[in-house]
C-alpha cells in the first residue's frame, strides 16, 4: 500500500495530464492575470515581526471535510481585515476539495499575496498558477527529487512567481535550497 503522499502524487500526474489536454498552455497564457505583476509574499511576511499566512481549506485526507461552505469569502475577508500577510488557498480537488477557480474567485477581492497550495509536480501547474492570479507556489521537498524541485522553482521565478519550499525537518533544506526559493515553511 502506498503512503498517502505517493498516492496523491500518482493521482496528480493523471490530473495534470488531463488538464493539459483540456486547457492548453496557450489558453492559460491568455488569462487576464498572466501578465500581471505578482505581489511578493516574502516582502509581506517581512513587514511585521509576526506575520501569518492564513489558509482557505475545505478538507484534508486526515481530517476529512473541514468546511462545507462553497463560498468562504467572508472567512478570507476576515483574514485580510485582521492582518494576514498572505493567503494560502488549497487547489487540490480530490484530497482537499479545492479548485484553481478558488484563486480566481478570491483574487479580485483583496490585494494580499496568494500562495497556490497544491502538489506541484509539473511546469504546467506553474503556468496555471500564474494564469489564475497566484503570486507564490508551494513545492514540497518530500514530493520531488531535489533537482526537479530546483528546476520548477527556477521556472516559477522566470514567470515572476515566488516559491515556498515545504520541508518537514532541517535535513531537507540543504539539498533543495536555491536562489529561486523565496520562503521556507516547516510542516510538522
Amino acid at each position: 500500500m502506498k503512503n498517502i503522499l505517493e498516492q496523491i502524487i500518482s493521482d496528480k500526474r493523471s490530473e495534470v495530464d488531463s488538464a493539459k489536454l483540456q486547457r492548453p498552455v496557450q489558453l492559460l497564457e491568455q488569462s487576464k492575470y498572466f501578465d500581471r505583476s505578482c505581489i511578493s509574499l516574502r516582502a509581506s511576511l517581512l513587514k511585521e515581526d509576526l506575520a501569518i499566512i492564513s489558509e482557505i481549506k475545505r478538507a484534508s485526507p486526515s481530517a476529512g471535510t473541514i468546511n462545507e461552505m462553497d463560498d468562504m469569502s467572508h472567512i478570507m475577508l476576515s483574514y485580510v481585515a485582521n492582518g494576514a500577510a498572505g493567503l494560502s488557498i488549497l487547489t487540490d480537488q480530490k484530497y482537499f476539495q479545492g479548485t484553481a477557480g478558488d484563486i480566481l474567485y478570491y483574487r479580485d477581492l483583496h490585494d494580499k499575496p496568494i500562495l497556490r497550495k497544491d502538489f506541484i509536480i509539473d511546469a504546467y501547474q506553474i503556468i496555471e498558477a500564474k494564469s489564475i492570479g497566484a503570486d507564490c507556489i508551494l513545492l514540497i521537498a518530500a514530493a520531488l527529487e531535489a533537482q526537479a524541485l530546483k528546476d520548477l522553482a527556477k521556472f516559477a521565478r522566470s514567470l515572476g512567481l515566488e516559491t515556498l519550499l515545504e520541508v518537514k525537518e532541517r535535513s531537507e533544506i540543504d539539498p533543495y535550497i536555491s536562489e529561486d526559493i523565496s520562503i521556507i515553511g516547516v510542516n510538522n
Side-chain angles (χ1 to χ4, degrees), residues 98-170:
T99 69
D102 290 339
I103 292 178
L104 282 169
Y105 179 74
Y106 296 123
R107 173 73 279 161
D108 291 333
L109 298 179
H110 60 84
D111 62 355
K112 295 291 182 181
I114 293 178
L115 167 67
R116 180 187 188 180
K117 191 168 184 184
D118 206 320
F119 298 89
I120 294 179
I121 56 168
D122 190 286
Y124 175 86
Q125 294 168 282
I126 297 171
I127 295 167
E128 183 181 50
K130 179 76 171 156
S131 78
I132 60 175
D135 302 293
C136 186
I137 60 162
L138 174 75
L139 294 177
I140 304 170
L144 295 160
E145 296 293 327
Q147 190 57 53
L149 187 141
K150 289 177 183 180
D151 291 345
L152 290 172
K154 184 174 186 169
F155 182 65
R157 186 175 185 193
S158 76
L159 295 179
L161 293 161
E162 292 180 319
T163 296
L164 188 153
L165 168 64
E166 179 182 292
V167 299
K168 287 189 177 182
E169 52 192 49
R170 173 71 175 98

